Amino acid sequence: MVPLADLFNHKTGAEDVHFTSTSSHSESDDDSDNSDTVDLDADSIGNKEPSSELDCSSVTGDDPSVLEMIMVKDVKAGVEVFNTYGLLGNAALLHRYGFTEPDNSFGIVNIDLELVQEWSSSLFSSRFSRARLSLWRRLEYRGCDSQSAEYFEISSNGEPQMELLILLYIILLPEDTYRKLDLAVSAKNSHKGSIDTILSEKWNITWDKISEMRADLLLTESVCNALLWLADKRESLYGSSSIKDDIEALEKCCTKERKLYHSLILRASERRILEKLRTYAAVGARSHSSLKSIQREPKRKRSKRS
């Protein structure tokens, strides 16, 4: 069945077939309570480790596990049928399978923690930066891990990972607020909610509303400027050429030049995400200014009815 699955090309989020693993624990195929059904992508099928139960079935003739191929949509005759390797961005597709998709909407851009530390060191002392990072970790926040590197993800719509926003916010806290938060963390056994308490006091809102508004509250002008710095620094890794240059080169590139073609696809898609990150930061700064203006406005007194 695995060679059959490999016959189909991949299309992200638009597959025509699903491969389903069905394990039956009874003699009756109609007993739905005793069967487990799991949808598999092509990557799962190819990497599935053989089990002792499966090895035994080849000897005894029993078939406790069945792999089914199911059409999930109508496909016209003569049209290519696609499978999926999962909802993967171009970086993952290129790394694992050696190709990219021009219109992939699941792309992400990674911002390394080292890059954040470089930004912090450009403004503050190393001791200051280490203390703020330590507080962030004591609040039980972490980035994503890949081997020995820690990083943050920027989604395809340009929205940064919440943990990154919180780290930037903590680094930029005024000293007295930082001391207060540091003391609160040291005094509590549970660190969860400490940053929410700081935000709720600053904005005079109840804690239960924080979860919905937290991203907006974190997007101070300084945090947004930090995001812009990170976007520019991350894009500098692509060299002196602009995204316009990359798009023009992609249009002229032949698909037979596989390495260059897929490299340009990845560069262009990631740089578009960085553009969206800049837009996110600019809009966030304006929204934060509006929140501050609303906060400063005096409450209107209702006129009493005579």
Side-chain angles (χ1 to χ4, degrees), residues 2-241:
V2 174
L4 181 59
D6 287 340
L7 289 175
F8 300 97
N9 285 322
H10 161 85
K11 183 174 285 189
T12 301
E15 69 275 13
D16 303 305
V17 297
H18 278 177
F19 285 86
T20 303
S21 175
T22 304
S23 298
S24 178
H25 305 295
S26 70
E27 295 180 359
S28 173
D29 292 334
D30 297 330
D31 189 358
S32 59
D33 292 335
N34 292 323
S35 64
D36 298 323
T37 301
V38 180
D39 284 342
L40 302 173
D41 55 37
D43 190 41
S44 301
I45 297 171
N47 294 327
K48 190 173 181 62
E49 295 291 337
S51 64
S52 58
E53 184 181 16
L54 189 60
D55 294 339
C56 181
S57 68
S58 63
V59 177
T60 62
D62 297 330
D63 189 11
S65 180
V66 177
L67 193 62
E68 297 179 341
M69 182 181 71
I70 302 173
M71 296 293 296
V72 296
K73 64 176 72 169
D74 294 333
V75 179
K76 294 181 180 180
V79 176
E80 182 176 1
V81 176
F82 289 95
N83 189 17
T84 180
Y85 301 159
L87 301 179
L88 304 174
N90 278 329
L93 286 175
L94 186 59
H95 176 70
R96 298 183 190 180
Y97 306 107
F99 69 90
T100 58
E101 294 177 304
D103 300 317
N104 191 318
S105 59
F106 293 91
I108 59 171
V109 170
N110 294 342
I111 301 290
D112 289 342
L113 176 60
E114 288 184 359
L115 200 60
V116 179
Q117 291 174 309
E118 182 181 341
W119 160 79
S120 181
S121 298
S122 69
L123 298 175
F124 310 106
S125 67
S126 297
R127 181 179 180 182
F128 178 99
S129 300
R130 287 195 303 270
R132 300 299 174 108
L133 177 61
S134 174
L135 176 58
W136 178 74
R137 293 200 186 283
R138 286 161 56 206
L139 285 164
E140 300 178 0
Y141 291 111
R142 293 289 185 276
C144 303
D145 290 320
S146 176
Q147 296 178 349
S148 59
E150 189 172 357
Y151 64 92
F152 305 96
E153 292 183 349
I154 310 299
S155 66
S156 58
N157 62 359
E159 185 173 345
Q161 191 173 332
M162 180 63 73
E163 286 78 3
L164 172 59
L165 292 180
I166 293 173
L167 176 56
L168 296 176
Y169 188 85
I170 289 175
I171 291 174
L172 292 164
L173 279 176
E175 186 64 23
D176 58 339
T177 308
Y178 163 76
R179 295 288 182 188
K180 183 177 181 180
L181 181 58
D182 183 54
L183 183 61
V185 171
S186 301
K188 291 182 179 179
N189 292 326
S190 175
H191 306 328
K192 294 297 183 182
S194 297
I195 190 71
D196 300 284
T197 302
I198 294 294
L199 290 172
S200 63
E201 290 178 356
K202 178 179 179 181
W203 295 100
N204 192 27
I205 57 178
T206 56
W207 187 87
D208 59 342
K209 295 180 181 178
I210 286 288
S211 58
E212 300 177 3
M213 301 178 63
R214 183 161 56 186
D216 290 339
L217 300 181
L218 292 169
L219 289 174
T220 64
E221 183 178 354
S222 298
V223 168
C224 291
N225 287 336
L227 291 174
L228 293 173
W229 188 97
L230 292 171
D232 291 342
K233 195 69 175 180
R234 177 64 172 78
E235 187 156 17
S236 69
L237 300 177
Y238 298 112
S240 58
S241 64

